[in-house]
Amino acid sequence: MFESQYEAMERAEIAQLQLERLQSTLQRVYRNVKFYRKKFDQAGLLPEDFQSLEDLGRLPFTTKEDLSNSYPYGMFAVPLREVVRIHSSSGSVGNPMVVGYTCRDLRNWARLAARMLAAAGVTKDDVVQITFNYGLMTGGFGVHYGAEVLGASVIPTGTGNTFRQVQIMRDYRTTTLVATPSYALVIADKCQEIGLDPKDLHLRVGFMGGEPWGEDRRREIEERLLLQAFDLYGLSEAMGPGVAGECEYRQGMHLNEDHFLPEIIDPVTTAPLQPGEIGELVITTLSKEAVPLIRFRTGDKCSLTYEPCPCGRTFARLSRILGRTDEVIIVKGVNIFPQRVGQILAALQGEAPVYQLVVGREGRQDYLEVRVEVRESIFFDRMVAQRQLINQLSHKLAQSIGVTPRVKLVEPNTIVRIGETSPLVIDQRG
């Protein structure tokens, strides 16, 4: 599935299509979304003022905080009766970020994910096993739809139960694995543990996303599972998996520019950066009906290139995600806002406790430990109370951030401080 009428357009044609779709999107959000209408009015702007893509820089940014503050439906540009799917992810403050999809949004999502799969060589003859989460976060849905558009067979195994994953992979003759890079190596470890030779599997393609990874990890995955590993990119706020993905040449991820208008900015000054320079990715959706986003600051650190690709696709290519420009940490493919953890703890404790997030790795698996300072009295002959508090905190945090943490209660002044504060996050993954 190579949509050459879009994916191989001349750059001038891409720019014209983007401008037309941008103008339509600006009209829609100004008319239907109070948040954007207020922003435009404050800046003294009207949708009619935008006659060139160069005018994009005059528009205000949209942040994760804006989405959280608009909970639940404040950013919706269509009536709720036209929304056929709702997803959400943990917000940076207070409420989660809620996104919706119309029927057309879902069709576009499926088609763009199909493009990504096809660019890596997936066809109707493949069996695609998806180990991403299926739930309120967009997770495995986009890849699932894309594979079905191609006519491939889909196995929606979801997360966890690695032995069963490997058993299915072998018995159902999976050819395409979709996983986070760390979980792909967990699967490789399980194969080794049970004595299963990867040569006895039928894997040939792997799609890895949800967390930063480098060439060393790509080589290890490929050598241990005997497949070719491809990078993919998506974000729940804009669509989900399918925003960008690598082709057979693996020289960056082709970003679907007919549906997304990308920018790279300096995360501190917000000044635009040149192609090849590393900064924060900003995305404007060009076709999203339910929740259009104008200049959404993703927080992802990367670069863009517009150089021609040997595959013939002319869309801009996104580099690997090199990290975050904010304090977000990624654990098991889930973005976690440290401040959100603090809010949850404060709501449960009745006051803001001293806390610290420690991210580590055991074997191939990442874990999150939340250390919380509590009053000394709970440590004296109060084991039952300790256990109840730990269970309560762990359950509530898992509900809110999407990852079940280890909760460790510590006595006052136990968390090491530098000056008057303690480091909010300690990442021990190296």
Side-chain angles (χ1 to χ4, degrees):
M1 180 178 170
F2 179 29
E3 296 184 318
S4 59
Q5 71 273 29
Y6 295 110
E7 297 181 79
M9 285 191 295
E10 297 292 334
R11 290 303 310 175
E13 294 178 307
I14 295 174
Q16 182 59 36
L17 178 63
Q18 288 178 327
L19 178 59
E20 292 172 2
R21 290 185 171 180
L22 174 63
Q23 290 171 330
S24 176
T25 297
L26 294 178
Q27 290 283 354
R28 187 182 320 120
V29 300
Y30 187 79
R31 184 173 60 249
N32 299 320
V33 184
K34 291 181 180 179
F35 168 82
Y36 284 120
R37 185 162 60 251
K38 180 179 179 181
K39 284 277 191 178
F40 282 31
D41 288 346
Q42 288 174 340
L45 300 172
L46 291 172
E48 295 80 10
D49 296 333
F50 297 89
Q51 301 299 318
S52 166
L53 291 181
E54 282 66 42
D55 293 328
L56 187 64
R58 301 168 60 193
L59 293 167
F61 291 106
T62 306
T63 66
K64 294 178 184 292
E65 288 78 10
D66 293 329
L67 297 184
S68 292
N69 292 337
S70 300
Y71 177 89
Y73 302 137
M75 298 295 282
F76 282 30
V78 298
L80 193 57
R81 64 178 177 274
E82 295 181 22
V83 175
V84 298
R85 170 74 62 76
I86 295 174
H87 283 286
S88 70
S89 60
S90 176
S92 57
V93 291
N95 297 310
M97 296 176 287
V98 180
V99 291
Y101 300 78
T102 64
C103 287
R104 183 175 295 176
D105 288 336
L106 290 181
R107 288 196 297 269
N108 285 337
W109 188 8
R111 197 171 88 253
L112 299 187
R115 283 183 187 175
M116 175 196 70
L117 294 168
V122 176
T123 72
K124 61 182 178 62
D125 297 320
D126 281 292
V127 177
V128 182
Q129 185 167 333
I130 302 173
T131 68
F132 284 169
N133 181 52
Y134 283 79
L136 279 176
M137 290 183 288
T138 51
F141 288 95
V143 184
H144 185 129
Y145 300 145
E148 290 181 339
V149 167
L150 294 178
S153 301
V154 180
I155 311 174
T157 52
T159 57
N161 198 343
T162 306
F163 176 79
R164 179 66 172 156
Q165 298 271 9
V166 171
Q167 185 181 47
I168 288 173
M169 197 175 300
R170 178 195 62 199
D171 296 346
Y172 296 10
R173 300 189 175 187
T174 299
T175 62
T176 302
L177 173 65
V178 182
T180 62
S182 57
Y183 193 61
L185 290 174
V186 170
I187 289 174
D189 288 343
K190 180 60 69 174
C191 289
Q192 182 176 354
E193 177 187 324
I194 65 177
L196 176 61
D197 191 331
K199 293 179 181 178
D200 294 330
L201 299 174
H202 295 78
L203 292 175
R204 65 179 193 85
V205 176
F207 287 95
M208 308 294 145
E211 60 191 30
W213 62 309
E215 288 300 317
D216 289 346
R217 181 157 286 195
R218 191 204 297 261
R219 283 191 294 271
E220 184 179 5
I221 292 170
E222 292 183 336
E223 290 171 359
R224 298 193 62 196
L225 290 177
L226 303 181
L227 51 72
Q228 191 172 27
F230 293 83
D231 204 357
L232 64 86
Y233 178 74
L235 64 163
S236 295
E237 299 88 351
M239 188 180 74
V243 173
E246 287 183 312
C247 69
E248 59 185 302
Y249 291 94
R250 300 192 294 181
Q251 297 178 7
M253 294 179 282
H254 291 278
L255 191 145
N256 287 304
E257 284 191 276
D258 52 338
H259 292 264
F260 305 100
L261 182 56
E263 305 170 72
I264 300 292
I265 64 168
D266 183 301
V268 177
T269 68
T270 72
L273 299 180
Q274 297 300 310
E277 292 186 296
I278 297 172
E280 180 180 0
L281 175 65
V282 173
I283 281 182
T284 297
T285 62
L286 298 175
S287 62
K288 193 78 182 290
E289 291 184 333
V291 186
L293 294 177
I294 307 300
R295 302 194 78 195
F296 177 70
R297 296 188 62 166
T298 67
D300 289 320
K301 189 185 298 184
C302 58
S303 64
L304 281 173
T305 180
Y306 294 86
E307 295 297 319
C309 180
C311 74
R313 292 173 177 83
T314 54
F315 287 161
R317 280 171 287 148
L318 199 64
S319 74
R320 284 189 178 280
I321 303 303
L322 303 173
R324 298 284 303 180
T325 62
D326 52 24
E327 291 187 321
V328 168
I329 54 174
I330 301 175
V331 181
K332 298 182 178 179
V334 177
N335 288 0
I336 298 171
F337 296 85
Q339 294 84 353
R340 178 60 180 147
V341 173
Q343 290 177 335
I344 297 165
L345 294 174
L348 290 171
Q349 298 265 281
E351 59 182 0
V354 176
Y355 70 99
Q356 189 174 67
L357 277 60
V358 179
V359 187
R361 181 171 291 145
E362 288 181 345
R364 302 295 183 182
Q365 293 276 39
D366 291 349
Y367 67 84
L368 172 65
E369 180 178 279
V370 179
R371 298 174 181 173
V372 185
E373 289 189 0
V374 295
R375 61 186 185 278
E376 292 183 7
S377 60
I378 200 170
F379 291 98
F380 295 96
D381 301 322
R382 299 284 301 279
M383 292 301 295
V384 172
Q386 286 185 46
R387 177 50 54 191
Q388 289 176 340
L389 180 56
I390 287 172
N391 290 341
Q392 180 189 29
L393 295 177
S394 179
H395 177 70
K396 187 63 177 179
L397 287 168
Q399 282 186 320
S400 300
I401 65 177
V403 171
T404 301
R406 304 174 181 179
V407 175
K408 183 177 181 181
L409 305 181
V410 298
E411 296 182 33
N413 302 313
T414 301
I415 294 176
V416 177
R417 289 163 172 76
I418 301 175
E420 296 183 357
T421 62
S422 57
L424 194 54
V425 177
I426 297 177
D427 195 332
Q428 300 176 336
R429 292 174 292 187

